[in-house]
Amino acid sequence: MSTKITLKTSHIYLDNELIEPIFGEIHYAYVTYLEEKGTILITPVSSQWFVKMYKPTQFLLKSRNLKGDKTLAIREILIDNDLDTTDRDLEYEIIEKTSLIKVSI
């Protein structure tokens, strides 16, 4: 089974295989939406460069199950930017060097 990111009931679901290498023990993420690229950027709150480049919102990574899957409640971003809220799998890219997840929305 390949790791995936899904949008479900205005939450981004992140598989535990993505959480461990990017977030480790960090339970909060910075999230920002880049309208010109149609991309949501997600990174741990430990990424100070991210705060300087963007004006992110801090979100709690909520645990979903014993496997370690997590969710981010992004309803506010979806509504503020008039984005499609349909449940679906999302395309994504991981930039390990900067602990960044780029999600196409």
Side-chain angles (χ1 to χ4, degrees):
M1 182 176 100
S2 64
T3 60
K4 63 181 179 177
I5 295 177
T6 56
L7 181 67
K8 193 169 166 185
T9 60
S10 298
H11 287 71
I12 288 184
Y13 278 68
L14 302 161
D15 280 0
N16 67 321
E17 290 90 6
L18 298 173
I19 293 295
E20 280 301 312
I22 301 289
F23 290 93
E25 295 300 312
I26 297 171
H27 298 286
Y28 289 90
Y30 283 135
V31 180
T32 196
Y33 174 65
L34 300 179
E35 187 173 359
E36 65 279 359
K37 294 184 179 184
T39 304
I40 290 179
L41 303 179
I42 305 167
T43 193
V45 292
S46 58
S47 298
Q48 294 307 310
W49 65 270
F50 194 78
V51 179
K52 292 177 181 142
M53 284 188 65
Y54 305 101
K55 294 196 176 356
T57 306
Q58 185 173 311
F59 287 88
L60 173 65
L61 281 166
K62 293 182 184 170
S63 295
R64 285 330 257 173
N65 54 36
L66 294 174
K67 259 186 4 187
D69 296 348
K70 307 268 188 195
T71 62
L72 290 166
I74 61 155
R75 183 168 182 75
E76 172 186 319
I77 290 173
L78 297 173
I79 291 170
D80 289 351
N81 295 285
D82 197 29
L83 299 172
D84 181 6
T85 59
T86 308
D87 293 357
R88 62 192 184 278
D89 289 346
L90 300 171
E91 297 285 320
Y92 67 93
E93 177 186 356
I94 305 251
I95 290 90
E96 288 184 31
K97 184 179 174 189
T98 55
S99 297
L100 182 68
I101 303 172
K102 291 181 176 181
V103 181
S104 298
I105 195 102

